[in-house]
């Protein structure tokens, strides 16, 4: 049941608070309510968070929590929470933990049996996926690909036959190399969407087969400015046509064995799915019976 009441900070807890990825109007009323009432905000970069808080006239104690100091800061935050204080976790932009710090803090809170309250909100990966025009029912978020080319190529090779829509983050000084590597591993025809500056003034979402997209971005450097999300079509499992030779063997064996047994043997020998052989044989047999039936009707 939906509630029309804005949740307030009524219990000591770690609140995971998403913040806008660009447009400040994307922050929720609930996020603002929590940020105004917690005892402390743990931010990835207090300078970035100050801008947000000042815009909404929020005054609250800030501390830094990032990948460089989390092992030192987590025990301090756990102590605050155990003492009955409330803490809000925010990243520079978007939903904390999604390619941002926070996982270790959340894990530590779970071990200490401290309540964790995650809020829904902005996320660049989901925003790009929804506007990409690619399948959204199954997808795989990969974050940033490795910086070193050999590791990046290796990761892409692992994902070569991934059928789910793929989502990557990237930056302007490396995007050309990334697109080139995707083209090299996935082929020039794989469809890729480049979404940049989402929710901001210069937002753009452009898609094309990777070969065309690569040429397009190389024509104008402004097309890769800002923060970038790549949404890549999943691998298409194209069905191979059944060889007439294979099917003739299937019919030959089916005349001596059960159809199921024949399909199993032929599938094993030729590397073809037995269900494909089985269904095709029954379909052709059914069509043959129908043809014979029509012939008899015509003769009568």
């Amino acid at each position: 049941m939906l509630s029309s009441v804005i949740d307030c900070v009524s219990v000591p807890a770690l609140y995971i608070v998403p913040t806008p990825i660009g447009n400040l109007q994307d922050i929720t009323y609930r996020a603002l309510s929590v940020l105004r009432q917690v005892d402390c905000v743990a931010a990835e970069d207090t300078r970035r968070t100050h801008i947000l808080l000042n815009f909404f006239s929020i005054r609250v104690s800030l501390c830094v929590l990032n990948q460089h100091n989390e092992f030192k800061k987590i025990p301090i935050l756990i102590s605050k929470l155990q003492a009955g204080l409330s803490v809000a976790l925010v990243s520079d932009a978007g939903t904390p933990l999604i390619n941002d710090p926070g996982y270790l803090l959340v894990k530590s809170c779970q071990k200490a049996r401290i309540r964790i309250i995650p809020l829904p909100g902005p996320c660049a990966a989901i925003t790009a996926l929804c506007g990409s025009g690619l399948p959204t029912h199954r997808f795989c978020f990969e974050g940033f690909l490795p910086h070193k080319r050999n590791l990046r190529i290796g990761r892409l090779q692992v994902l070569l036959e991934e059928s789910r829509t793929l989502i990557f983050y990237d930056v302007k000084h490396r995007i050309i190399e990334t697109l080139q590597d995707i083209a090299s591993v996935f082929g020039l025809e794989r469809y890729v969407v480049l979404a940049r500056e989402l929710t901001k003034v210069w937002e753009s979402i452009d898609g094309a087969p990777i070969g065309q997209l690569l040429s397009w971005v190389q024509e104008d450097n402004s097309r890769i400015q800002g923060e970038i999300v790549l949404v890549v079509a999943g691998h298409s499992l194209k069905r191979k046509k059944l060889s007439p030779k294979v099917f003739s063997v299937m019919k030959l064996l089916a005349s001596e064995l059960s159809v199921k047994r024949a399909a199993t043997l032929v599938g094993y020998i030729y590397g073809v799915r037995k269900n494909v052989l089985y269904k095709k044989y029954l379909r052709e047999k059914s069509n043959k019976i129908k043809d014979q039936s029509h012939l008899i009707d015509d003769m009568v």
Side-chain angles (χ1 to χ4, degrees):
M1 181 182 293
L2 295 176
S3 172
S4 60
V5 179
I6 299 174
D7 290 340
C8 295
V9 180
S10 57
V11 294
L14 173 68
Y15 291 82
I16 302 174
V17 183
T19 55
I21 58 176
N23 191 324
L24 293 179
Q25 295 182 73
D26 289 334
I27 198 163
T28 67
Y29 285 114
R30 186 182 178 200
L32 290 175
S33 177
V34 168
L35 291 174
R36 288 191 174 103
Q37 296 180 66
V38 291
D39 299 292
C40 173
V41 173
E44 183 180 2
D45 185 335
T46 55
R47 294 167 298 181
R48 296 281 295 271
T49 303
H50 261 305
I51 295 172
L52 175 71
L53 297 178
N54 287 339
F55 183 85
F56 290 104
S57 301
I58 298 174
R59 301 289 180 265
V60 64
S61 174
L62 282 171
C63 69
V64 179
L65 179 73
N66 54 39
Q67 59 182 343
H68 304 295
N69 73 349
E70 56 188 343
F71 286 105
K72 179 181 178 181
K73 286 288 186 179
I74 286 174
I76 298 173
L77 291 171
I78 293 293
S79 295
K80 289 179 180 290
L81 290 160
Q82 289 177 328
L85 300 180
S86 292
V87 176
L89 173 66
V90 302
S91 58
D92 286 350
T95 301
L97 281 80
I98 306 302
N99 217 80
D100 279 323
Y103 164 71
L104 291 178
L105 175 59
V106 171
K107 185 177 180 181
S108 298
C109 286
Q110 285 182 332
K111 286 184 176 180
R113 297 188 178 277
I114 293 169
R115 186 172 179 183
I116 301 162
I117 302 178
L119 277 62
C123 176
I126 300 302
T127 302
L129 174 65
C130 291
S132 69
L134 290 171
T136 58
H137 62 293
R138 294 176 67 245
F139 59 91
C140 178
F141 175 65
E142 284 288 315
F144 286 94
L145 284 164
H147 295 183
K148 294 184 178 179
R149 187 168 189 270
N150 62 326
L151 296 179
R152 187 164 60 244
I153 290 289
R155 186 60 195 156
L156 288 170
Q157 288 174 336
V158 169
L159 296 168
L160 176 59
E161 296 187 359
E162 172 58 66
S163 61
R164 293 173 293 178
T165 300
L166 297 166
I167 307 173
F168 302 98
Y169 286 163
D170 215 324
V171 290
K172 63 180 181 180
H173 65 268
R174 199 167 53 241
I175 186 63
I176 297 297
E177 294 177 5
T178 299
L179 291 174
Q180 289 173 336
D181 291 340
I182 292 175
S184 174
V185 177
F186 289 1
L188 296 175
E189 295 305 311
R190 185 70 71 94
Y191 196 86
V192 177
V193 173
L194 189 154
R196 69 179 190 90
E197 294 292 83
L198 292 170
T199 78
K200 301 176 185 176
V201 175
W202 304 111
E203 173 184 281
S204 65
I205 302 175
D206 301 282
I210 183 64
Q212 297 178 29
L213 185 67
L214 183 56
S215 298
W216 180 75
V217 298
Q218 288 176 317
E219 290 173 359
D220 186 347
N221 189 54
S222 68
R223 292 169 179 166
I224 54 173
Q225 297 297 317
E227 297 177 347
I228 297 169
V229 183
L230 292 176
V231 188
V232 182
H235 176 63
S236 177
L237 300 174
K238 296 181 179 179
R239 292 184 177 178
K240 296 180 180 179
K241 289 185 177 180
L242 195 59
S243 165
K245 177 184 176 182
V246 173
F247 193 63
S248 65
V249 174
M250 170 67 194
K251 288 190 289 185
L252 181 63
L253 287 180
S255 66
E256 300 293 333
L257 306 170
S258 70
V259 178
K260 185 176 181 181
R261 180 61 177 163
T264 300
L265 289 173
V266 175
Y268 178 77
I269 294 169
Y270 290 99
V272 180
R273 291 176 60 188
K274 63 180 181 181
N275 287 345
V276 173
L277 291 163
Y278 184 83
K279 290 179 181 179
K280 181 174 175 60
Y281 181 86
L282 293 182
R283 187 166 55 250
E284 287 207 358
K285 187 176 181 180
S286 176
N287 290 337
K288 187 176 181 179
I289 292 172
K290 287 180 181 178
D291 291 340
Q292 290 175 344
S293 176
H294 287 314
L295 182 60
I296 291 171
D297 290 341
D298 291 340
M299 290 175 66
V300 173

